[in-house]
Every structure is written in structure tokens, then in C-alpha cells.
Amino acid sequence: MAPRKIIIDTDPGQDDAFAILFALGSPDELDVVGITTVGGNVPLALTSKNALKVVELAGRPDVPVHAGCPAPMVRKLITAEYVHGETGLDGADLPEPVTPLQSEHAVNYMVRTIMDAPEGELTVCTLGPMTNLAMAMTMEPRIVSRLREVVLMGGGFFQGGNATPAAEFNIFVDPHAAHKVFDSGVPVTMAGIDCTYTALMTPEWLDRLRATGSRAAIEAANLADFYRQYGTHKFETPARPIHDACVTGYLLAPQIYEQRQCAVTIDIVSPETIGMTVVDWWHVTGRRKNCNVLRRIDPAPFFKLMLERISALP
Ligand code: RIB
Ligand code: CA
């Protein structure tokens, strides 16, 4: 079976780096045709540089990286250096990238690539604010019907939010973009914090990853050591959720997820709950079930597969 073609839209971010390495370490199943970057965890110039660093770390400088939108569609950019460090990839000592960014803007790249691809071939995986994809849908609405699926890290319901009591960071940063995508009719699968809080990366797993000895594995473990410093006020153990990697895990092993097709709407009006993904888990509204909601993961096969794939990189 031919590998599934995906575009990864991302704001690296240590957990974004894991998701990208996990995907690039799975060439038999996934063909990363391109990476697009967005302002999110850190400003766009850094997320773009970080994406280049990650493809070079993976030994895949051939994967084109296109810089996209520096800020959300309506609101001002909110960043998360408090989690990811000033560079967005604190923890690893990665060299300045020698690979250049592509000159084509990410939104134009998305529109062109999706319109040129056979209908239903491409999946867009968003790991940060969904600004680029929403802008592409605005620029060329026909991409909606041409996409196979959008698989995103974002949102949450039973766990509430991590940016506010109601909203998860990626959706909170650009709720209008998320509203556009969820309302577009494109098939959506959402790995929210309900799911990612069950994908807890442990120090023991990181030791096993580092012990595999590949440079990618060692640097990924170094990234994680920095990343997991945040959250001691939230999590009772040293384990930390590796949010974005849950998107890659879903593409590779959907069977290890508890999931349910639900109606999901995005709050863009309420000051207290803007960015909330309102999940109709019990189908009480009768609305169209527009989203496959990932609720839980089976961590054992997830982390076994991720270690296997990242350690397969050089
Ligand atoms: O809420 C977690 C999400 O926000 C992850 O994608 C992380 O990288 C940050 O972007
Ligand atoms: Ca991210």
C-alpha cells in the first residue's frame, strides 16, 4: 500500500518535533510531502527555523518547509515560551539550519498542492494554531472537498483547557481559524488534551529512547528533558503529555485510540470561554457530527511504536 501523503502544519515546539520525527521515521506508511509553519509556541521566524532544524535532524532536508502566517486571523499572537523556552526548541543543541525556507508562502503552497493532488489524496495535520489552513480555505474554498482529512492536535472537553479553564492553546490562539475549519465540512479528527493527557511520556521511556543511540533519538530525548520541566504544578508524576505526537500516532495506529464521531463547535464569542471546543459527546444537539474526537490512547503500543520509529532515524 502506498504511504499516506500528509502536509504537517506546525509551530515547533518540542512536542511538534516529536510528531515530525515520528512521521519521518515511518516512510513506509507516511509521505510527508511538505511542512508549513505558523506563529504559535514562539514567533514564526523561530518556528520556521525550528522546522528546518528538525528535518535536518531527521536527515530529511529534502522535505520542503514553507513559512506561513505570523499571527492569528483576528486576535494577537499569544506565544508559549514558558513551556518551550525562548527558542521554542530549548533542550537540544541543534546547529543553525543550512537548508533554506521555500520562497512560496505556506498558504499558497497548501492551496497549490491540494488543488494539484488527486481528490482525497492529501491529509493536513495541524499541530499549532490552524491559521494557515483556515486562510487556505478562505483563499480557495475548493480545497475543502479535495482533502482526505484534517487531523489536529487541539481542543479538549472533559479535561477543560490548558490555556484557559475552557480552551486548549492551539485553539485559544486562533479560535476563528479553528471555527472556519471545523465548520467547513472537511472530515476532522481532533486529538485534544483529553487524549494527549493519556499519552504521558515517562523519564524511563526517555532513557530507553536515548539508549537507542541515534542522534535523532538522543536529541529528541534532550528536547523532552527541557519540555517536561513545565507542568509540575499540574501533573503528579514526572511524566508529561507529548501532545502533537498523538496526531502521528493516530495516522499510524488509529486502533489504539478510543474515539467517537461528535458534533464539535468552537466558541468565538464568549470572553470567558473563547476557543473552547464544545463537544456534543452525548449527541444532545442533533447537530452534524463533524469531528472524530479522540478521547484516550493506549500508551503502551503508542510509545513502543514512537520509540521504534524515532530510533530508526539517523
Ligand atoms: O496545547 C498543546 C499544543 O500547544 C501543542 O501543539 C503544543 O506544541 C502547543 O502548540
Ligand atoms: Ca504544536
Side-chain angles (χ1 to χ4, degrees):
M1 190 176 195
R4 182 171 181 173
K5 291 184 181 295
I6 66 173
I7 294 173
I8 298 178
D9 188 68
T10 179
D11 63 337
Q14 289 86 353
D15 60 322
D16 302 70
F18 269 82
I20 296 167
L21 293 171
F22 194 0
L24 293 176
S26 308
D28 293 341
E29 295 101 325
L30 299 174
D31 176 6
V32 183
V33 299
I35 290 177
T36 53
T37 59
V38 66
N41 286 320
V42 288
L44 179 67
L46 285 172
T47 60
S48 303
K49 179 192 291 190
N50 292 342
L52 291 171
K53 287 184 175 182
V54 173
V55 296
E56 291 184 353
L57 176 63
R60 291 295 310 278
D62 59 294
V63 177
V65 177
H66 294 256
C69 296
M73 293 174 80
V74 176
R75 289 155 46 106
K76 289 193 182 318
L77 178 64
I78 296 167
T79 54
E81 288 86 351
Y82 57 94
V83 177
H84 300 276
E86 287 305 310
T87 71
L89 273 190
D90 285 28
D93 181 17
L94 300 176
E96 286 297 297
V98 297
T99 311
L101 283 172
Q102 300 296 311
S103 57
E104 186 180 27
H105 190 283
V107 175
N108 293 327
Y109 166 77
M110 274 187 178
V111 170
R112 174 176 60 82
T113 307
I114 297 166
M115 292 306 290
D116 288 350
E119 188 162 332
E121 177 172 87
L122 273 173
T123 297
V124 173
C125 304
T126 63
L127 310 179
M130 304 178 81
T131 316
N132 288 334
L133 181 55
M135 294 295 279
M137 288 181 172
T138 304
M139 180 186 281
E140 181 46 86
R142 289 179 297 169
I143 67 171
V144 170
S145 62
R146 299 190 66 81
L147 280 170
R148 172 176 172 177
E149 186 177 14
V150 173
V151 185
L152 70 121
M153 192 279 137
F157 187 65
F158 300 94
Q159 288 284 356
N162 62 3
T164 72
E168 176 278 329
F169 179 81
N170 288 337
I171 311 298
F172 180 65
V173 170
D174 198 342
H176 303 91
H179 185 279
K180 176 99 185 173
V181 174
F182 276 70
D183 201 39
S184 70
V186 70
V188 174
T189 293
M190 176 179 102
I193 57 175
D194 303 328
C195 173
T196 66
Y197 280 9
T198 66
L200 295 175
M201 179 177 58
T202 65
E204 295 74 21
W205 181 79
L206 284 170
D207 289 343
R208 290 199 301 276
L209 177 65
R210 187 177 272 113
T212 62
S214 76
R215 179 165 172 266
I218 291 167
E219 292 301 347
N222 292 339
L223 288 170
D225 280 346
F226 177 88
Y227 169 78
R228 63 193 185 86
Q229 292 173 61
Y230 177 79
T232 48
H233 64 296
K234 291 171 72 171
F235 301 99
E236 289 158 11
T237 71
R240 291 291 179 270
I242 190 71
H243 301 287
D244 291 333
C246 291
V247 168
T248 310
Y250 173 74
L251 295 171
L252 295 170
Q255 70 281 4
I256 68 173
Y257 292 72
E258 178 191 335
Q259 51 202 293
R260 182 184 291 189
Q261 200 68 30
C262 301
V264 177
T265 53
I266 312 294
D267 183 353
I268 54 173
V269 295
S270 318
E272 282 303 304
T273 53
I274 190 166
M276 180 177 181
T277 48
V278 182
V279 177
D280 183 1
W281 188 256
W282 299 111
H283 318 311
V284 296
T285 64
R287 290 180 187 140
R288 179 175 64 89
K289 298 174 183 173
N290 59 331
C291 179
N292 179 31
V293 177
L294 305 183
R295 173 106 189 250
R296 287 187 187 87
I297 198 170
D298 181 349
F302 172 73
F303 283 103
K304 178 174 181 295
L305 185 62
M306 184 156 63
L307 185 144
E308 173 193 304
R309 299 304 169 84
I310 293 179
S311 60
L313 293 168

